[in-house]
Amino acid sequence: MSAVDSVLNAATAQVEQARADASLRPEIASFFDPATFTVTYVVHDPATMEAAVVDSVLDFDPSSGRTSTVSADKVIDYVNSHNLKVVWLLETHAHADHLSAAPYLQDKLGGKIAIGAEITTVQNVFGKLFNAGTEFERDGSQFDALFKDGDTFAIGKVPVTVMHVPGHTPADIAYVVGEAVFTGDTMFMPDYGTARADFPGGDARKLFRSLRRILSLPPETRLFMCHDYLPNGRSQYVWETTVAAEREGNIHAHDGITEDEFVQMREARDATLDMPRLILPSVQVNMRAGHLPPADENGVTYLKLPINAV
């Protein structure tokens, strides 16, 4: 992070303005998928009823290879019952633990599919891993919008600032929506800690700096996690916290932890972790903005399983 972080300063000003002006705060509904421990959010402006869906889930059974839309249909029912107009389908990164339902939601609800501009780095790495061939474009063109650090847009009248927060993957971004932040996989609830940084392109040192960047926002800033894994000692899933709570109590990244201490902890912990159960199907779909790979000449779509390559 540079000595003068203009994007952080702009996001801080936005949060403070939204805290002072209720018309700039979004309404937020959450949808928890227990199969992948993922939280999808519908974020809307009460004045205009414009909405965004953050990190949607397409249900996938790896044993049968079947997809279903039960989780996404709950989002659709909510949007329709509240008369919302979806203008954005936002991805915080190319997820390794679930398939995105963005194309399905776009077909049913509309909206533009967006992700961080560094998705091209992810596409290059995983395009090679899956031997996707020259027909797989590695320029992010599968998405309707690619956001860079500091980009701004709005959901109705609610302002949004994009913060690039790499480390878990090169393409991770956080969306600062009014006075709320959707952190993606960068961090979890204080009692669970932080994201792993051992995927291709991951970097524990960059992750620490991204964490400190988010945690430099005003203490009252609301933070919304993409996952909760119910750590020992807690009986209910939760996914909303604050900057102040994370700075005080995050078991991996609370105030006082140095960068070197974090990196040593994160790399040692990552070395003990198994790969996510759905990483191989998820990434080859999500690098395509949630679209399945092209069908073979027999009309069937196949997902590849590289052997001894991850």
Side-chain angles (χ1 to χ4, degrees):
M1 186 167 57
S2 61
V4 177
D5 188 336
S6 60
V7 175
L8 174 60
N9 290 343
T12 297
Q14 176 189 299
V15 168
E16 291 173 342
Q17 184 180 16
R19 284 185 54 77
D21 184 349
S23 70
L24 301 179
R25 302 176 203 162
E27 289 193 10
I28 301 167
S30 55
F31 301 82
F32 182 69
D33 173 41
T36 63
F37 307 99
T38 302
V39 190
T40 296
Y41 297 98
V42 177
V43 187
H44 81 269
D45 170 21
T48 65
M49 305 305 281
E50 288 193 357
V53 179
V54 183
D55 290 335
S56 60
V57 174
L58 180 70
D59 303 299
F60 178 70
D61 178 9
S63 298
S64 65
R66 292 188 178 274
T67 63
S68 65
T69 59
V70 173
S71 296
D73 287 337
K74 292 177 182 177
V75 171
I76 293 172
D77 289 344
Y78 177 85
V79 167
N80 290 335
S81 66
H82 287 76
N83 297 313
L84 303 181
K85 178 184 178 182
V86 172
V87 293
W88 289 104
L89 300 160
L90 304 175
E91 302 287 347
T92 55
H93 64 295
H95 303 274
D97 42 35
H98 70 271
L99 281 64
S100 170
Y104 175 74
L105 293 175
Q106 186 176 53
D107 180 63
K108 300 296 183 181
L109 300 173
K112 295 180 180 180
I113 303 174
I115 201 168
E118 289 300 319
I119 187 63
T120 56
T121 302
V122 175
Q123 289 177 326
N124 274 303
V125 171
F126 284 97
K128 294 176 182 176
L129 175 65
F130 294 114
N131 196 29
T134 56
E135 67 276 8
F136 172 56
E137 299 291 344
R138 293 158 170 82
D139 57 2
S141 57
Q142 300 86 348
F143 298 83
D144 299 310
L146 301 180
F147 290 130
K148 297 180 180 179
D149 190 42
D151 280 350
T152 60
F153 61 100
I155 302 168
K157 297 181 180 179
V158 177
V160 183
T161 298
V162 175
M163 297 178 68
H164 183 214
V165 286
H168 174 58
T169 79
D172 281 65
I173 56 175
Y175 296 98
V176 185
V177 183
E179 37 63 75
V181 182
F182 298 88
T183 65
D185 285 11
T186 304
M187 67 177 71
F188 304 120
M189 294 299 290
D191 57 356
Y192 198 83
T194 59
R196 64 194 298 167
D198 61 333
F199 294 156
D203 186 308
R205 201 164 293 278
K206 289 181 180 178
L207 177 61
F208 178 83
R209 295 170 186 173
S210 293
L211 290 164
R212 298 318 304 175
R213 195 181 197 206
I214 294 173
L215 297 180
S216 295
L217 290 165
E220 305 85 2
T221 306
R222 294 187 293 164
L223 303 179
F224 291 85
M225 310 293 106
C226 186
H227 300 283
D228 187 53
Y229 297 101
L230 203 64
N232 292 333
R234 179 149 53 81
S235 59
Q236 291 185 322
Y237 292 104
V238 289
W239 42 79
E240 180 181 351
T241 184
T242 65
V243 164
E246 292 281 10
R247 291 185 64 159
E248 179 181 359
N250 188 288
I251 59 173
H252 297 161
H254 60 77
D255 285 355
I257 297 291
T258 68
E259 182 173 320
D260 287 342
E261 288 171 337
F262 176 84
V263 170
Q264 182 178 17
M265 176 282 301
R266 189 68 266 171
E267 291 181 347
R269 180 176 173 81
D270 289 349
T272 70
L273 301 177
D274 293 331
M275 284 289 103
R277 183 175 64 98
L278 295 181
I279 184 172
L280 295 175
S282 294
V283 174
Q284 60 188 304
V285 170
N286 295 338
M287 70 182 186
R288 294 178 165 88
H291 295 283
L292 297 175
D296 277 10
E297 62 276 3
N298 62 356
V300 177
T301 297
Y302 294 88
L303 295 175
K304 294 180 178 179
L305 185 68
I307 304 300
N308 299 325
V310 178

